[in-house]
Amino acid sequence: MKTILSTAALFALAACAAPEAPQAAEPAPAPQTRAQAPAPTLAGEWRIAELGGKTLPADARARISFDAARSAFNGSAGCNSLFGAYQADGANLKFGDTASTLIACEPALMKREQALSSALRRTAAYGFDNGALVLKNKQGKTLLKAVK
């Protein structure tokens, strides 16, 4: 009987003891943020999609590449290679003297190459429109659009 009373007394004392402190709630997980795509840059190779207001076919082989470390570019409208230096300062862009290979091409390609050379000479600024590179003249008119 003493054992039963002792056990009952222990249970009674345990019931009277201070309640356990509530455990701290787990911290809420950090909100998920979508990884933002890095801001586009001139660097790398671009396929020229539009030149002088005309859309080029995807297989036109017209391209332009920028090497930011050397401030150099090279490109082609589908026949000859163009290359030279450029200066980018903020949204301003200026191409230096441009050199070219001198292969005779069919008239349509030669006309496209002249349009590319002219666009580069007249470029004063650049920007991006939905990931596409856009070269513009001093008046803000689009001269060339290119995509990665």
Side-chain angles (χ1 to χ4, degrees):
M1 177 86 168
K2 277 186 174 181
T3 308
I4 294 175
L5 285 176
S6 297
T7 306
L10 285 174
F11 281 122
L13 285 174
C16 293
E20 260 185 53
Q23 292 186 0
E26 287 187 30
Q32 294 288 331
T33 56
R34 278 199 282 188
Q36 293 184 354
T41 66
L42 283 173
E45 184 165 321
W46 298 84
R47 180 182 62 81
I48 299 171
E50 184 180 307
L51 183 59
K54 296 179 183 175
T55 300
L56 302 183
D59 64 351
R61 297 184 338 211
R63 60 168 186 74
I64 188 163
S65 297
F66 295 89
D67 180 344
R70 298 183 321 128
S71 295
F73 78 94
N74 67 64
S76 175
C79 183
N80 285 293
S81 294
L82 303 167
F83 45 94
Y86 71 92
Q87 292 177 328
D89 181 19
N92 298 318
L93 179 63
K94 181 172 175 50
F95 290 91
D97 292 333
T98 300
S100 172
T101 57
L102 299 173
I103 299 170
C105 306
E106 62 183 67
L109 284 177
M110 295 301 289
K111 188 173 180 178
R112 189 184 302 157
E113 287 189 355
Q114 290 169 353
L116 177 56
S117 291
S118 175
L120 298 179
R121 278 193 310 274
R122 298 180 308 151
T123 295
Y126 76 100
F128 299 94
D129 181 15
N130 291 323
L133 170 63
V134 181
L135 303 186
K136 298 182 178 196
N137 67 10
K138 289 179 184 176
Q139 293 76 33
K141 180 180 176 187
T142 297
L143 302 171
L144 178 151
K145 281 188 181 180
V147 295
K148 286 258 179 170

